[in-house]
Amino acid sequence: MMRHIDVFLRQLYKEQHERLYKAAYRMLGSAELAQDLVQDVFLFALFHEEELHSHPSPEGWLMFTLKNLVQNERRNEERHSLIPLESVGGNRNGGRACTGDKGCGSD
């Protein structure tokens, strides 16, 4: 027999998944990342099911969680943004790779 809370989460998923996905996609511009974060939202919901079940606005709880995850993702992107090798200082080899027979910086 399925617990009442499981039925609640399943119903919430059916009702809110598409809305959360669209919001995540608008915020991120990536379908794959939007889907990942929506899955994470429902994973959080699963771990906090009793809190969510007693919350006055479960839909608001889900959206708030999604927005926090999006902010975390943006911060992570900023911290881990790629820097082109050409812009890294100290390249004295004209952009060429160092080889075993030539030392870096020696021509």
Side-chain angles (χ1 to χ4, degrees):
M1 185 168 160
M2 195 177 296
R3 295 181 340 193
H4 176 68
I5 211 90
D6 292 336
V7 172
F8 170 74
L9 285 176
R10 285 178 186 270
Q11 187 63 31
L12 201 55
Y13 180 86
K14 285 180 185 177
E15 293 173 0
Q16 298 299 313
H17 179 270
E18 186 175 348
R19 176 177 165 254
L20 291 169
Y21 172 78
K22 287 178 180 179
Y25 182 76
R26 276 193 310 272
M27 290 186 267
L28 296 165
S30 165
E32 185 177 326
L33 190 52
Q35 185 61 39
D36 287 347
L37 291 187
V38 170
Q39 287 177 5
D40 288 348
V41 166
F42 283 101
L43 187 59
F44 275 104
L46 183 62
F47 286 115
H48 299 278
E49 60 189 352
E50 289 183 22
E51 174 190 339
L52 181 59
H53 191 263
S54 64
H55 195 279
S57 174
E59 299 83 3
W61 188 97
L62 293 172
M63 186 59 73
F64 184 79
T65 301
L66 175 65
K67 288 179 180 180
N68 283 338
L69 290 172
V70 168
Q71 286 177 344
N72 290 345
E73 183 62 32
R74 288 181 176 158
R75 275 193 295 268
N76 287 337
E77 285 177 1
E78 289 172 11
R79 278 191 226 129
H80 299 107
S81 61
L82 298 177
I83 301 171
L85 277 177
E86 295 79 29
S87 69
V88 177
N91 186 350
R92 296 174 290 169
N93 206 25
R96 295 185 312 267
C98 297
T99 60
D101 57 339
K102 289 184 177 180
C104 290
S106 62
D107 288 334

